Amino acid sequence: MKPKIDSTKFGSITIEGEEYEKDVFIRLSGNIKKRKKKLSKAIYGTSHKISLDEAEYVYENGSEKIIIGSGQNGMLELSDEALDFFKAKDCKVKLCPTPEAIDKWNSAKGKVIGLFHLTC
């Protein structure tokens, strides 16, 4: 079951009434996990660019779409390698600031996964 995201503010996101203060990703099953930023930080020196390693970790077979909340001000980017990976898996990518991504997430249909950056 896809959980409903209630709200976000700088540094937090509230999902089904529970507040999270770390970046999260949501699996097809609806399970909410802490984002493994170190997968991208090890390559780029920052967690503001999603690496191929992180994309491979987040992706699940059968995913039709990934919605990525790029932060309150839209600072998170997707590397070319990560974008190519999602395209090769026929998984559409929607990258937008986290407040907008929440609206996209809550209205999304089908097999969707999500990744949400909570700060900048």
Side-chain angles (χ1 to χ4, degrees):
M1 181 182 119
K2 186 169 73 83
K4 180 182 183 297
I5 300 177
D6 303 314
S7 63
T8 187
K9 61 183 178 185
F10 193 91
S12 72
I13 191 168
T14 303
I15 305 171
E16 296 284 333
E18 185 172 344
E19 185 175 41
Y20 297 84
E21 294 182 339
K22 303 279 185 195
D23 290 4
V24 298
F25 70 96
I26 304 174
R27 294 252 178 233
L28 287 176
S29 65
N31 288 343
I32 301 161
K33 303 283 185 183
K34 180 182 169 192
R35 178 182 168 213
K36 293 205 176 207
K37 294 193 255 186
K38 65 183 176 183
L39 294 171
S40 294
K41 196 168 189 173
I43 295 168
Y44 297 111
T46 180
S47 60
H48 288 119
K49 190 169 200 172
I50 297 173
S51 67
L52 174 59
D53 288 347
E54 188 173 0
E56 290 175 340
Y57 180 76
V58 170
Y59 177 78
E60 290 180 84
N61 284 331
S63 298
E64 299 167 344
K65 181 189 286 187
I66 181 167
I67 297 172
I68 302 172
S70 60
Q72 303 302 320
N73 299 312
M75 298 298 291
L76 182 78
E77 300 175 357
L78 193 62
S79 69
D80 291 340
E81 297 83 7
L83 182 59
D84 290 344
F85 170 79
F86 287 122
K87 284 182 181 178
K89 296 290 187 180
D90 200 27
C91 181
K92 295 178 183 166
V93 175
K94 181 62 180 170
L95 176 75
C96 52
T98 300
E100 183 182 333
I102 286 172
D103 292 336
K104 304 278 184 213
W105 172 264
N106 286 335
S107 63
K109 305 287 185 224
K111 295 179 180 179
V112 60
I113 52 178
L115 188 149
F116 301 93
H117 180 58
L118 305 180
T119 56
C120 47

Short mmCIF file of all heavy atoms in Angstrom, two decimals, residues 10-11 48 70-76 117-120:
data_model
loop_
_atom_site.label_atom_id
_atom_site.label_comp_id
_atom_site.label_asym_id
_atom_site.label_seq_id
_atom_site.Cartn_x
_atom_site.Cartn_y
_atom_site.Cartn_z
N PHE A 10 11.41 22.26 5.91
CA PHE A 10 12.85 22.12 5.85
C PHE A 10 13.33 21.17 6.94
O PHE A 10 13.14 21.40 8.11
CB PHE A 10 13.53 23.49 6.01
CG PHE A 10 14.99 23.47 5.66
CD1 PHE A 10 15.40 23.75 4.37
CD2 PHE A 10 15.95 23.17 6.61
CE1 PHE A 10 16.75 23.74 4.03
CE2 PHE A 10 17.30 23.14 6.28
CZ PHE A 10 17.70 23.42 4.99
N GLY A 11 13.90 20.04 6.52
CA GLY A 11 14.47 19.08 7.46
C GLY A 11 13.54 17.97 7.92
O GLY A 11 13.96 17.11 8.70
N HIS A 48 24.01 15.64 -2.88
CA HIS A 48 23.08 16.43 -3.69
C HIS A 48 23.07 16.01 -5.15
O HIS A 48 22.47 16.68 -5.99
CB HIS A 48 23.41 17.93 -3.58
CG HIS A 48 23.03 18.49 -2.25
ND1 HIS A 48 23.93 19.04 -1.39
CD2 HIS A 48 21.83 18.54 -1.62
CE1 HIS A 48 23.32 19.42 -0.29
NE2 HIS A 48 22.04 19.12 -0.41
N SER A 70 13.50 16.85 -4.79
CA SER A 70 14.86 17.37 -4.89
C SER A 70 15.22 18.38 -3.80
O SER A 70 16.18 19.13 -3.94
CB SER A 70 15.06 17.99 -6.27
OG SER A 70 14.14 19.04 -6.48
N GLY A 71 14.46 18.40 -2.72
CA GLY A 71 14.72 19.33 -1.62
C GLY A 71 13.75 20.50 -1.65
O GLY A 71 13.05 20.72 -2.63
N GLN A 72 13.71 21.21 -0.55
CA GLN A 72 12.77 22.32 -0.44
C GLN A 72 13.02 23.39 -1.51
O GLN A 72 12.08 24.01 -2.00
CB GLN A 72 12.85 22.95 0.95
CG GLN A 72 12.61 21.97 2.09
CD GLN A 72 11.26 21.27 2.03
OE1 GLN A 72 10.25 21.88 1.70
NE2 GLN A 72 11.23 20.00 2.35
N ASN A 73 14.29 23.54 -1.91
CA ASN A 73 14.64 24.53 -2.93
C ASN A 73 15.12 23.88 -4.23
O ASN A 73 15.68 24.55 -5.09
CB ASN A 73 15.71 25.48 -2.40
CG ASN A 73 15.22 26.26 -1.19
OD1 ASN A 73 14.12 26.80 -1.20
ND2 ASN A 73 16.01 26.27 -0.13
N GLY A 74 14.96 22.57 -4.35
CA GLY A 74 15.29 21.88 -5.59
C GLY A 74 16.76 21.70 -5.88
O GLY A 74 17.16 21.69 -7.05
N MET A 75 17.60 21.51 -4.87
CA MET A 75 19.05 21.42 -5.06
C MET A 75 19.56 20.04 -5.47
O MET A 75 20.66 19.92 -6.01
CB MET A 75 19.78 21.88 -3.79
CG MET A 75 19.50 23.33 -3.42
SD MET A 75 20.04 24.51 -4.66
CE MET A 75 21.79 24.35 -4.52
N LEU A 76 18.81 18.99 -5.21
CA LEU A 76 19.26 17.63 -5.53
C LEU A 76 19.19 17.40 -7.03
O LEU A 76 18.22 17.81 -7.69
CB LEU A 76 18.36 16.61 -4.82
CG LEU A 76 18.72 15.15 -5.00
CD1 LEU A 76 19.90 14.78 -4.13
CD2 LEU A 76 17.54 14.27 -4.65
N HIS A 117 14.41 14.24 -0.62
CA HIS A 117 15.46 15.02 0.04
C HIS A 117 14.74 16.10 0.84
O HIS A 117 13.83 16.77 0.32
CB HIS A 117 16.40 15.60 -1.01
CG HIS A 117 17.51 16.41 -0.45
ND1 HIS A 117 18.42 15.92 0.46
CD2 HIS A 117 17.87 17.70 -0.66
CE1 HIS A 117 19.30 16.86 0.77
NE2 HIS A 117 18.97 17.95 0.10
N LEU A 118 15.15 16.32 2.09
CA LEU A 118 14.36 17.16 2.99
C LEU A 118 14.90 18.56 3.25
O LEU A 118 14.19 19.39 3.79
CB LEU A 118 14.18 16.44 4.33
CG LEU A 118 13.57 15.04 4.22
CD1 LEU A 118 13.43 14.43 5.59
CD2 LEU A 118 12.24 15.08 3.49
N THR A 119 16.16 18.78 2.90
CA THR A 119 16.69 20.12 3.16
C THR A 119 16.78 20.89 1.85
O THR A 119 15.87 20.82 1.05
CB THR A 119 18.04 20.04 3.90
OG1 THR A 119 18.95 19.24 3.14
CG2 THR A 119 17.87 19.44 5.29
N CYS A 120 17.85 21.56 1.62
CA CYS A 120 18.02 22.47 0.48
C CYS A 120 17.52 21.84 -0.81
O CYS A 120 17.17 22.45 -1.74
CB CYS A 120 19.46 22.87 0.33
SG CYS A 120 20.60 21.50 0.43
#
